[in-house]
Amino acid sequence: GFYVTDGTSEGTLLLHPTKTRPFVFKDKFYFSSFNPDQGIDIWRSDGTTEGTQLLVTISNFSGFHPAGDKFFINTFTEFWVSDGTSEGTTLVKELDSGYSYTGEYVYYKDKLYFKADDDVHGEELWTSDGTTEGTRMLVDIVRGEDDARIENLVVVGDLLYFTAENTRPYRQLWRTDGTAAGTYPVTEFETTYGNRRIEAVTPAFGDIFFEFGEKLWRYDPQENQTTLVANHLEIVNMVFAYDKLFFTIRSGEQKVLWMSEGTEATSQPLLPSHTNSIQQMLPLGSGIAFMASSGEYGWEAWFSRGTFAETYMINDIYEGHEGAYPINFVKYKGRVLFLATNKKNGRSIFQT
């Protein structure tokens, strides 16, 4: 269900029985719920029962995407735009059933950028300014019906970066300034790395870090130069927080937490090898909160400031080996809220 809370048990109320996560826009919450007769209802709420009202009903639902003074709603075949009111919520574009708006969405230069497949060009990079005429494919990277496999959209400086393929199976890092002429690859990885994909693209220190060929790489947009940071690291995911790059690497069946300040000398593990399967890293002003498993405590909530000594379990919420399985870490009024299980209350909201 959709609850509202002031951080106390007494101030926690159920507003709607939906099972979807709400989206925040201009101090209001938006969420979807299933309508058995018409499809999907989109709701708007100010956090009160009286202020929770129906915004629009659509055929199906995939996600909300913020875009300046408006937001987009996408289904699998439609694209909607809204200013947060029923009157200002309109259908932007509808195409054939083969059309799909999927994956990541990034707001850049007053437009939304995303990958889409119009059943003619394959999956390519698209853009929308919220109008029918302004919703179009930016460039056809792979000619014909084949897919460019657009992923990892991030904005660094005044450019948008993403990964794409134009000569299979070699996926490169690309840049765009929002024009077809200004869209081209900035890396040139050769066949010696085999069939590899650029993964875990993360802006940090003004540059772009990513994993390719089980190595950590750094791309400098100012110098247009790609350099190797560290070898033998199969990176699963990365976040930038507290002026440090935190990432998890796969080591056999384990996932180990590492930290880097952008150089090989500063890249090092933060946890013993028996503490593994790091999940859901939440960037904070002073470090990261995350879920980790160890043989002694099971799945619990952890915190790290980026040093071995300052990486520790916050609390043994579920005493023993079973673990509390904390998920959905969010920041709220200087604290971190998350869902976890203990022996007394079962599945509950915790704060730290």
Side-chain angles (χ1 to χ4, degrees):
F2 174 40
Y3 289 80
V4 62
T5 183
D6 61 4
T8 67
S9 299
E10 298 77 13
T12 302
L13 303 172
L14 175 66
L15 289 180
H16 194 280
T18 180
K19 295 182 180 180
T20 61
R21 178 175 291 188
F23 162 75
V24 180
F25 177 75
K26 291 185 177 179
D27 298 325
K28 288 185 172 57
F29 300 95
Y30 296 81
F31 58 93
S32 65
S33 67
F34 177 66
N35 183 325
D37 297 321
Q38 296 179 303
I40 300 295
D41 290 334
I42 304 297
W43 296 81
R44 177 185 63 206
S45 177
D46 62 3
T48 67
T49 302
E50 300 78 14
T52 301
Q53 302 170 344
L54 180 66
L55 181 71
V56 67
T57 299
I58 57 180
S59 60
N60 51 60
F61 174 77
S62 181
F64 297 107
H65 313 288
D69 60 355
K70 56 186 176 291
F71 64 90
F72 290 84
I73 306 168
N74 76 293
T75 74
F76 298 106
T77 58
E78 300 171 346
F79 214 39
W80 293 70
V81 66
S82 178
D83 62 3
T85 67
S86 296
E87 301 78 14
T89 302
T90 59
L91 177 65
V92 175
K93 206 171 187 73
E94 181 178 11
L95 290 166
D96 296 334
S97 59
Y99 195 92
S100 63
Y101 298 94
T102 60
E104 305 162 76
Y105 294 75
V106 170
Y107 185 57
Y108 168 68
K109 288 187 176 180
D110 299 323
K111 295 180 181 179
L112 198 69
Y113 288 79
F114 51 95
K115 64 179 180 180
D117 181 349
D118 64 0
D119 213 22
V120 176
H121 298 93
E123 180 188 283
E124 298 289 350
L125 182 64
W126 281 60
T127 181
S128 178
D129 61 2
T131 67
T132 301
E133 299 77 15
T135 302
R136 59 183 177 81
M137 183 178 67
L138 179 64
V139 62
D140 191 10
I141 293 175
V142 179
R143 302 293 182 181
E145 298 181 358
D146 289 339
D147 297 334
R149 303 179 187 272
I150 308 295
E151 290 182 347
N152 300 304
L153 282 74
V154 296
V155 176
V156 177
D158 60 354
L159 295 173
L160 171 65
Y161 294 86
F162 59 96
T163 57
E165 293 180 8
N166 65 342
T167 306
R168 285 197 179 89
Y170 313 116
R171 186 168 302 186
Q172 308 289 352
L173 182 67
W174 287 61
R175 55 142 277 177
T176 183
D177 60 3
T179 67
T183 304
Y184 50 83
V186 296
T187 59
E188 297 180 350
F189 288 112
E190 299 295 336
T191 60
T192 52
Y193 291 104
N195 187 356
R196 296 289 185 177
R197 300 169 50 178
I198 291 178
E199 302 281 9
V201 176
T202 306
F205 310 110
D207 294 342
I208 301 173
F209 290 77
F210 57 89
E211 187 263 354
F212 183 83
E214 297 187 5
K215 305 173 190 290
L216 177 61
W217 298 84
R218 180 175 189 165
Y219 172 71
D220 183 343
Q222 299 299 320
E223 300 294 331
N224 190 30
Q225 184 176 10
T226 303
T227 57
L228 178 65
V229 177
N231 279 298
H232 310 300
L233 298 176
E234 185 182 351
I235 297 173
V236 179
N237 59 342
M238 288 194 288
V239 298
F240 184 58
Y242 199 49
D243 290 329
K244 294 179 174 64
L245 190 64
F246 295 86
F247 54 95
T248 58
I249 69 166
R250 195 181 307 277
S251 178
E253 297 181 356
Q254 299 180 339
K255 296 177 184 177
V256 182
L257 181 65
W258 278 56
M259 181 280 301
S260 177
E261 294 178 358
T263 65
E264 183 176 11
T266 60
S267 301
Q268 56 188 324
L270 293 176
L271 284 171
S273 59
H274 68 273
T275 305
N276 64 83
S277 296
I278 313 304
Q279 303 285 349
Q280 300 187 24
M281 296 185 292
L282 174 68
L284 303 171
S286 57
I288 61 167
F290 58 96
M291 177 174 68
S293 169
S294 68
E296 184 177 359
Y297 294 106
W299 293 97
E300 295 289 352
W302 288 65
F303 176 80
S304 177
R305 282 194 175 90
T307 68
F308 195 92
E310 295 177 294
T311 301
Y312 52 87
M313 185 178 69
I314 297 172
N315 193 15
D316 186 12
I317 298 173
Y318 196 106
E319 298 178 0
H321 299 282
E322 295 185 30
Y325 291 91
I327 61 172
N328 299 335
F329 291 92
V330 296
K331 292 178 282 189
Y332 176 73
K333 292 185 176 181
R335 293 182 174 273
V336 176
L337 304 181
F338 56 92
L339 191 64
T341 301
N342 66 7
K343 294 180 179 179
K344 180 180 179 181
N345 301 311
R347 204 67 172 160
S348 307
I349 298 175
F350 289 79
Q351 65 177 351
T352 184

